[in-house]
Amino acid sequence: MAAFAARAPALPIAVGYSGGADSTALLLACAQRWPGQVRAWHVHHGLQAAADAFEAHCRGVCTRLGVPLAVAHVDARAQPGESPEAAARQHRYKAFDLLAQSHTELAAIQSVALAQHADDQVETLLLALSRGSGLPGLAAMPAKWHRGALHYYRPLLAVPGAALRHWLRQRGEAWIEDPSNADTRYTRNSIRSQLAPALAAVFPTYRATLARSAQHAAQAQLVLDEVAAADLAACGLPPRLADLQALTPARQANALRHWLAHAHASVPSAAQLAELQSQIAACRTRGHAIRLKVGRGFVVREGGALHWLPASEPPQASG
């Protein structure tokens, strides 16, 4: 719980709880540290036949611990051209927003703890490198950030996954093994089972070294975010086409990425961003229409500005 050491998060706190080893360790640690101040949030993604069993397991553990559990059911299937991981992530955060708003007993929730650990951080960075990602991808996962009214924390980013499982075994705690984690058709699983052991053999301290590189990328990205925020302040929100056209291509791309990511939680691919910039450059007449698919929505032209139209339905919550 190193991220909570200096300053405790606002309580009560919700823990994203899947039933796996990592989130089980986080839930137990938080429940021990803040008795009566912890809630568990489980997202039923609807992607596996075992999803109902996952939910049942979580309900049993939470009953034993005396931790209130709330469940959000979502349809996390990816749209054409969208990665399954990105789709599940977006649905999960929307479900957390809904859980924070829909349950009166959780109305005071301001903080959410997530269980990604050191191995997840390395996998995220290696995935970003394999995809040719820019600084946002190379910065990997932040230890803390906020989304709307919720403040998120990842207190386990410095802890290896094996250490979490050892801690659970010492306490006789059981967890769910998601069968999809062994499916090497997913690149992240191949990194975990094949590349990570090779890295450990050649670079024993690779977790800390790659984490340091991610921190450097994150610092550089903060500077780009400041530039983007200043450029968008000049362009207005929604951004005006004429002001976007006045920016250099690099600053325009930076501003567009910032707008889509921070205002609409959507990250354009390199091809989508290039096409959007091409359309902006060509948009010299009132009749030039823009409607481009980006993530789970569309960027469209309305008058002299760009707008965002979402293409997904909100999840339904139950408690």
Side-chain angles (χ1 to χ4, degrees):
M1 295 299 155
F4 291 152
R7 181 178 179 182
L11 299 175
I13 185 170
V15 174
Y17 180 43
S18 69
D22 314 329
S23 63
T24 299
L26 181 60
L27 181 64
L28 288 171
C30 288
Q32 290 175 10
R33 181 162 184 178
W34 299 296
Q37 295 293 315
V38 177
R39 310 289 187 265
W41 287 356
H42 178 78
V43 180
H44 186 302
H45 290 92
L47 296 176
Q48 300 186 54
D52 289 341
F54 295 168
E55 179 182 336
H57 171 86
C58 292
R59 289 192 182 279
V61 172
C62 288
T63 298
R64 175 168 58 83
L65 295 176
V67 172
L69 172 70
V71 179
H73 289 256
V74 303
D75 180 357
R77 288 174 294 184
Q79 297 292 321
E82 185 181 27
S83 78
E85 185 178 57
R89 181 171 58 250
Q90 291 300 327
H91 278 291
R92 187 159 53 249
Y93 287 126
K94 289 180 181 179
F96 288 162
D97 291 341
L98 185 71
L99 288 169
Q101 299 165 8
S102 300
H103 297 272
T104 56
E105 73 274 15
L106 301 180
I109 292 291
Q110 301 178 52
S111 305
V112 182
L114 302 179
Q116 285 88 4
H117 50 69
D119 300 88
D120 295 322
Q121 185 75 315
V122 168
E123 292 163 13
T124 300
L125 176 56
L126 292 174
L127 274 172
L129 286 168
S130 74
R131 295 166 178 166
S133 298
L135 284 177
L138 300 182
M141 296 181 290
K144 57 182 178 180
W145 78 103
H146 66 88
R147 171 190 162 97
L150 295 175
H151 291 264
Y152 285 86
Y153 299 86
R154 290 188 176 103
L156 303 179
L157 283 182
V159 183
L164 296 175
R165 284 164 172 75
H166 177 70
W167 187 80
L168 289 173
R169 291 190 188 98
Q170 284 184 319
R171 285 154 180 78
E173 293 289 345
W175 63 86
I176 293 171
E177 288 291 355
D178 188 334
S180 68
N181 289 338
D183 189 346
T184 54
R185 290 177 298 177
Y186 296 105
T187 306
R188 182 179 288 273
N189 293 342
S190 294
I191 291 173
R192 185 179 305 132
S193 63
Q194 300 173 32
L195 184 55
L199 282 172
V202 179
F203 305 109
T205 62
Y206 77 96
R207 291 183 183 87
T209 302
L210 293 183
R212 191 160 60 247
S213 293
Q215 290 171 356
H216 292 322
Q219 288 177 341
Q221 184 57 47
L222 286 176
V223 176
L224 289 180
D225 286 342
E226 292 176 0
V227 173
D231 286 341
L232 286 172
C235 292
L237 288 176
R240 294 181 293 269
L241 283 163
D243 293 315
L244 286 171
Q245 289 168 341
L247 297 174
T248 64
R251 286 181 68 153
Q252 184 189 89
N254 186 49
L256 289 168
R257 277 193 298 262
H258 187 90
W259 170 58
L260 290 166
H262 290 264
H264 303 293
S266 185
V267 180
S269 68
Q272 289 171 338
L273 185 61
E275 178 59 23
L276 179 55
Q277 289 192 269
S278 176
Q279 290 293 322
I280 290 171
C283 199
R284 300 293 178 180
T285 64
R286 291 188 178 184
H288 190 112
I290 295 178
R291 182 180 174 87
L292 293 176
K293 183 75 167 63
V294 177
R296 300 188 68 85
F298 296 87
V299 175
V300 300
R301 176 186 181 177
E302 293 183 8
L306 291 181
H307 292 257
W308 168 262
L309 296 178
S312 60
E313 296 293 330
Q316 296 180 345
S318 65

